[in-house]
Amino acid sequence: QSGGCPLDFHCHDVDIINHIFGMPDAVYTFGTNDKADLESVFSRFYYPDMVITAKADWSFPQKFPFFAETLVVFERAVVKTNSDETMTIFTDNEIEHIKNDSGDTFKNELSHFIECAVSGKKSTVSTPKSVRNSVYIVSRELKSMREDKKIPI
């Protein structure tokens, strides 16, 4: 039994949002259940000065390739990251491409987890509190999906 897209896939989006911006004040989430239960999720995370959106989707055809993409919109620029480990900065006057030389993000994350599990060391990257908070946020998103309303955190 799976936690569906919210707990198995979208939790990574929530974790990075929580890591960078902290706990939101509230969430509003909707999703679809066309092909599978909890197959897609689209969320708004409400903070005092901004709203962050995130989406994750399992409804694509099986042959559709995996990709991860992040867009961060600032006052004078947009930053885009991709699964291919590149970051692009767009402004009104230029486009700058930056290659991430630290390797595959997903492989690095998994290697770190395995190293901690085998050695018994505590992670300095993913703390129990951070994981708990991210799972709690997802639980509030699920409540929002069920009740179709904004839910305080």
Side-chain angles (χ1 to χ4, degrees):
Q1 177 111 91
S2 163
C5 185
L7 278 170
D8 292 354
F9 194 45
H10 173 66
C11 64
H12 300 286
D13 303 327
V14 173
D15 194 51
I16 193 68
I17 291 168
N18 181 36
H19 179 75
I20 294 171
F21 300 102
M23 295 286 279
D25 295 332
V27 294
Y28 180 70
T29 302
F30 62 90
T32 62
N33 298 297
D34 297 330
K35 295 179 183 177
D37 193 32
L38 301 172
E39 71 185 359
S40 69
V41 59
F42 182 89
S43 290
R44 288 180 150 184
F45 302 83
Y46 294 89
Y47 291 86
D49 298 356
M50 66 184 153
V51 175
I52 297 171
T53 59
K55 65 180 179 175
D57 197 331
W58 275 0
S59 68
F60 293 112
Q62 291 292 317
K63 296 295 183 184
F64 191 87
F66 171 80
F67 73 98
E69 180 177 83
T70 303
L71 290 175
V72 182
V73 181
F74 297 97
E75 290 179 15
R76 294 190 178 105
V78 173
V79 177
K80 178 181 176 184
T81 64
N82 292 316
S83 303
D84 67 358
E85 306 302 323
T86 60
M87 177 171 63
T88 306
I89 302 170
F90 299 87
T91 67
D92 288 338
N93 300 319
E94 65 182 331
I95 300 172
E96 180 181 0
H97 301 283
I98 301 170
K99 180 73 176 153
N100 175 1
D101 293 328
S102 64
D104 184 300
T105 305
F106 299 106
K107 287 180 185 174
N108 291 344
E109 181 181 3
L110 186 56
S111 294
H112 175 72
F113 173 78
I114 291 169
E115 178 185 330
C116 290
V118 170
S119 69
K121 291 190 319 186
K122 291 182 179 181
S123 174
T124 57
V125 179
S126 182
T127 65
K129 180 180 179 182
S130 173
V131 172
R132 181 200 68 213
N133 288 347
S134 294
V135 171
Y136 179 72
I137 294 168
V138 172
S139 76
R140 303 304 283 169
E141 289 179 288
L142 292 169
K143 181 177 175 67
S144 175
M145 287 174 73
R146 284 191 305 273
E147 298 180 11
D148 191 26
K149 66 180 185 179
K150 186 190 235 183
I151 302 293
I153 297 296

